[in-house]
Amino acid sequence: MNEDDGTLFAQVRDPANRADPYPLYARLRAQPVARQDDGTVVASGYAAIRALLHDPRVSSEDLPPAEHPPTGNPVKDWIVNPLKDWITDRHRPFIFRDPPAHDALRRQVMGQFTVARVRAMKRRTEALVAECLERCETCSTINLVDDLAYPLPVTVICELLGVPREDEPRFHGWATQLATALEPESRNDPGLRARNTETFDAIAAYMRDLIREKRRAPADDLLSGLATQKDPEAGRMSDPDLVATAILLLIAGHETTVNLITNGMLTLLRHPDELARLWADPERAPRVIEELLRYEPPVHFRTRLTRAPIPVAGTTIPAGVPLVLLFAAGSRDPARFPDPDRFDPDREDNQHFGFGGALHYCVGAPLARIEAEAALTALAARLRAPRLAEDPPPYRPGASLRGPKRLLL
């Protein structure tokens, strides 16, 4: 073992390695489950990740306790904010919950996030892509992030949820800030935690007002359904759970899809033969999307916490330690995927971790596939001899939610 192997995951998180973390992932896979110098255990092998995803001793409730920073106001510091923190800790978004609470909340969401509702968005999504690209027809340069990859999923999730699209400037900054909660650094940085707390309070107040309006005048949207319908087993979702769920769906409903579309186009531009094949045969799109989810996924890892000792991959993970499921490394494991560093849409048996897995498999996966397919097929059809203006492009800060900050064509 090299002396720096205990810092490999810290190197993954270093922005200097954002453009190409895959050599680091390969080094981590030499020991599929490895403890880092800071005590974190990283699972990078496909088999180990798959086993841990299905292990009930692995908990998703790994966020530190909510804590508002002191304000100097005794009423807020001793009464109001501690009560807010107590409520927040007990009503986290369901991706940070374990069964049975997770299962009940997810079931209620899936009752509204129906296949029919998602499929009904297909034509609308294609029309939105066309609108975005038509606005770029006279542009000498396209910034794929600002011109398509961001506005498309934001508009789609707003329409599905029933969030006014004109409020996007308000929640854009909120979403960007709260997405940092998936990064390990956010757990130990007091300044970042304080900004996340302030942001959560702001978006929660916005959602409470919107939910109140949905109950007063329900519409045919997902948020109205969650606000008014009763689950046969769990009853109506509580207000704190509804606020947390609405925030999760709004943020997760576009942040990850921005990366999927942008990473996807970047990969196709680096493989012009595959871009040409997609232009000639749009029916290849589903296979292209699945391989992109394996090869350049929008989410590279998620964090967990062990509740008991877990024997896996020839070692035992102790109880009570932070655990990282490094999905992007597992999806390039040569023990599972032949020639894993080759982009191959014709790959068979492509059971990747692009949308996570097991209990926490991405709720919005069908919608993300529709959005990515619409965007990439339209780009392949409309762009003529596109070239990257910069390669690699600059990346967004996050190592978990990894994607270009801009992509100039």
Side-chain angles (χ1 to χ4, degrees):
M1 177 181 290
N2 296 328
E3 62 180 16
D4 66 341
D5 283 357
T7 67
L8 283 174
F9 187 58
Q11 294 176 58
V12 166
R13 304 195 311 275
D14 185 339
N17 294 311
R18 196 70 73 244
D20 186 13
Y22 295 102
L24 293 170
Y25 295 168
R27 290 176 61 189
L28 278 162
R29 281 195 305 269
Q31 191 174 347
V33 176
R35 188 156 190 166
Q36 300 293 283
D37 290 349
D38 64 359
T40 300
V41 173
V42 178
S44 57
Y46 184 94
I49 294 171
R50 192 168 189 84
L52 291 165
L53 277 170
H54 291 86
D55 197 310
R57 294 167 291 187
V58 174
S59 173
S60 295
E61 297 181 356
D62 70 321
L63 291 178
E67 183 180 7
H68 278 76
T71 67
N73 182 319
V75 175
K76 285 187 176 181
D77 291 345
W78 292 96
I79 300 175
V80 176
N81 286 341
L83 179 58
K84 285 184 177 180
D85 293 337
W86 184 87
I87 292 171
T88 297
D89 286 338
R90 283 153 184 78
H91 298 277
R92 296 287 191 182
F94 62 84
I95 63 169
F96 298 110
R97 306 280 284 276
D98 293 334
H102 163 272
D103 298 352
L105 291 169
R106 184 183 175 98
R107 184 175 62 250
Q108 288 172 288
V109 170
M110 295 304 292
Q112 298 298 323
F113 215 107
T114 62
V115 172
R117 179 170 265 156
V118 171
R119 284 179 178 170
M121 290 300 297
K122 188 173 189 300
R123 287 188 178 179
R124 175 61 177 149
T125 300
E126 292 169 348
L128 288 169
V129 170
E131 290 175 15
C132 288
L133 295 181
E134 284 168 7
R135 286 195 291 268
C136 299
E137 282 187 348
T138 59
C139 300
S140 57
T141 301
I142 297 175
N143 180 350
L144 189 68
V145 176
D146 291 345
D147 294 331
L148 177 63
Y150 178 78
L152 171 65
V154 164
T155 303
V156 169
I157 198 62
C158 282
E159 292 185 5
L160 267 177
L161 285 175
V163 173
R165 180 64 175 82
E166 58 268 23
D167 288 347
E168 184 275 335
R170 298 178 64 186
F171 63 71
H172 186 178
W174 296 335
T176 300
Q177 181 62 46
L178 290 180
T180 65
L182 295 180
E183 305 296 333
E185 284 75 12
S186 71
R187 315 293 169 88
N188 304 310
D189 184 328
L192 185 53
R193 289 189 63 190
R195 290 193 295 276
N196 281 344
T197 297
E198 180 182 4
T199 302
F200 183 84
D201 285 349
I203 195 171
Y206 170 84
M207 283 299 180
R208 281 192 292 270
D209 289 343
L210 185 58
I211 289 164
R212 192 177 301 116
E213 179 61 23
K214 296 295 182 184
R215 285 182 173 148
R216 187 190 67 80
D220 183 20
D221 56 56
L222 198 149
L223 193 52
S224 291
L226 289 173
T228 58
Q229 299 300 312
K230 289 186 178 181
D231 182 81
E233 297 180 35
R236 182 173 291 169
M237 192 180 289
S238 71
D239 281 5
D241 280 333
L242 182 53
V243 168
T245 299
I247 293 171
L248 171 66
L249 294 176
L250 179 61
I251 295 174
H254 73 272
E255 282 287 331
T256 54
T257 309
V258 174
N259 288 346
L260 177 57
I261 294 171
T262 312
N263 287 335
M265 194 59 196
L266 175 61
T267 300
L268 288 171
L269 288 167
R270 288 171 170 171
H271 297 81
D273 55 331
E274 289 296 343
L275 182 60
R277 292 182 73 185
L278 181 60
W279 170 79
D281 181 14
E283 297 301 315
R284 281 180 59 79
R287 299 188 70 90
V288 170
I289 301 303
E290 292 312 302
E291 178 66 347
L292 288 169
L293 285 162
R294 184 198 70 83
Y295 183 82
E296 278 283 19
V299 179
H300 275 226
F301 61 83
R302 286 296 316 279
T303 57
R304 298 286 194 267
L305 184 69
T306 58
R307 296 297 192 193
I310 304 173
V312 61
T315 189
T316 297
I317 306 174
V321 301
L323 172 65
V324 174
L325 302 179
L326 195 48
F327 294 135
S331 289
R332 289 208 190 190
D333 188 344
R336 174 61 180 79
F337 300 96
D339 199 3
D341 293 325
R342 181 166 61 92
F343 178 65
D344 179 13
D346 292 319
R347 187 180 299 276
E348 299 296 333
D349 192 24
N350 195 0
Q351 298 182 41
H352 53 73
F353 293 128
F355 287 125
L359 292 175
H360 291 278
Y361 185 81
C362 177
V363 167
L367 180 62
R369 285 185 169 103
I370 286 173
E371 292 170 307
E373 182 173 332
L376 295 179
T377 54
L379 286 165
R382 288 183 178 232
L383 298 181
R384 292 291 174 264
R387 293 185 180 182
L388 287 168
E390 45 190 351
D391 191 11
Y395 277 77
R396 301 164 78 188
S400 176
L401 295 180
R402 174 184 169 274
K405 181 179 179 180
R406 66 173 181 262
L407 194 67
L408 302 179
L409 309 178

